Amino acid sequence: MTPRSDVDWDALRERARDAMSRAYAPYSGYPVGVAALVDDGRTITGCNVENASYGLGLCAECGLVAELHNTRGGRLPHFTCAGGRGEVLVPCGRCRQLLYEFGGPDLLLETPAGILPLSEMLTQAFGPDHIEGAVALSRQENWPHRPQDWQMALQLSNGAVALDDQGRVTGTILV
Ligand code: THU
C-alpha cells in the first residue's frame, strides 16, 4: 500500500473534479466525481450517472468500483469525492459500503473533517468476513448428516467433502 505521506491528495482531488465535469446529473443538478488510488499505483475515477427513473441513478462510487473490477481489480487505499464546485464531499452511506468491500476499514478518505479511515466513517461495518462465515454454514447444511449416507470424508485445506460409495461428492464444508 502507498504510504500515507507519499499520497498527493491535491492530485487525487483534481482527478475527482475532472470526473465530476463528466457527470450526468440533469435531475438533481448535483454532479459528483470520485477518485481513488489502487494498490498497484493506478488512479481510477467515477462520476454519477442519473436516470429518468430517478431511483435508478448511479452514484459516482458505483462507476468507480465497476472501473476497478473491469481493469484488473485491486485494493483501494486512498479515496476522495468532489462536488459541483470542486468541494470535498463525504460519500453517502451506501457508497461507504461499496468502498468497504474493496478498501476495508483502513481505506483513507479525504473528508471535510480531514483524512479519516473508513472505519470511522462506517463503524461496525458489515463485510466479506461476515459472508464467509455464512457461506460456510449454509454449505454445511448440505453435509449428509447420517453417517450411512457417506462412505468417506476427505479433509481438505479449505474444508471437507463427503463421498458416497461411488466416489461421488455428496456434501461439502468450506471454511
Ligand atoms: N451522489 C454520489 O454520486 N455519491 C455520493 O456519495 C453522494 C450522492 C450523487 C447521487 C445523485 O446523482 C446526486 O449525487 C444527488 O444525490
Side-chain angles (χ1 to χ4, degrees):
M1 187 185 290
T2 315
R4 182 175 172 172
S5 55
D6 290 355
V7 172
D8 186 346
W9 287 99
D10 291 342
L12 195 61
R13 203 177 316 113
E14 274 314 307
R15 294 293 300 271
R17 288 173 177 158
D18 181 52
M20 179 275 293
S21 72
R22 291 186 294 278
Y24 176 68
Y27 305 108
S28 70
Y30 196 85
V32 176
V34 293
L37 294 180
V38 185
D39 60 354
D40 61 11
R42 294 181 294 139
T43 299
I44 55 170
T45 60
C47 61
N48 54 339
V49 179
E50 297 183 349
N51 193 280
S53 180
Y54 291 175
L56 300 185
L58 300 174
C59 281
E61 291 85 345
C62 299
L64 182 128
V65 297
E67 169 82 359
L68 174 70
H69 243 288
N70 197 27
T71 57
R72 306 196 300 276
R75 299 292 295 170
L76 301 177
H78 303 91
F79 170 90
T80 190
C81 181
R85 295 181 308 279
E87 75 279 24
V88 175
L89 293 177
V90 285
C92 75
R94 179 178 183 274
C95 290
R96 294 178 199 191
Q97 182 72 31
L98 291 184
L99 294 170
Y100 188 81
E101 186 79 14
F102 302 106
D106 299 329
L107 166 60
L108 292 176
L109 295 95
E110 185 180 39
T111 82
I115 308 296
L116 294 173
L118 185 52
S119 57
E120 283 185 35
M121 305 289 288
L122 187 68
T123 54
Q124 291 198 45
F126 179 83
D129 291 351
H130 295 87
I131 293 290
E132 198 118 300
V135 168
L137 276 180
S138 68
R139 297 270 173 86
Q140 202 158 346
E141 282 165 21
N142 298 333
W143 188 265
H145 290 291
R146 298 185 322 161
Q148 60 267 38
D149 290 340
W150 48 280
Q151 186 75 6
M152 186 163 99
L154 285 181
Q155 184 77 40
L156 306 174
S157 60
N158 63 341
V161 292
L163 305 175
D164 67 12
D165 56 1
Q166 306 292 310
R168 290 179 298 237
V169 174
T170 55
T172 54
I173 297 177
L174 296 181
V175 291

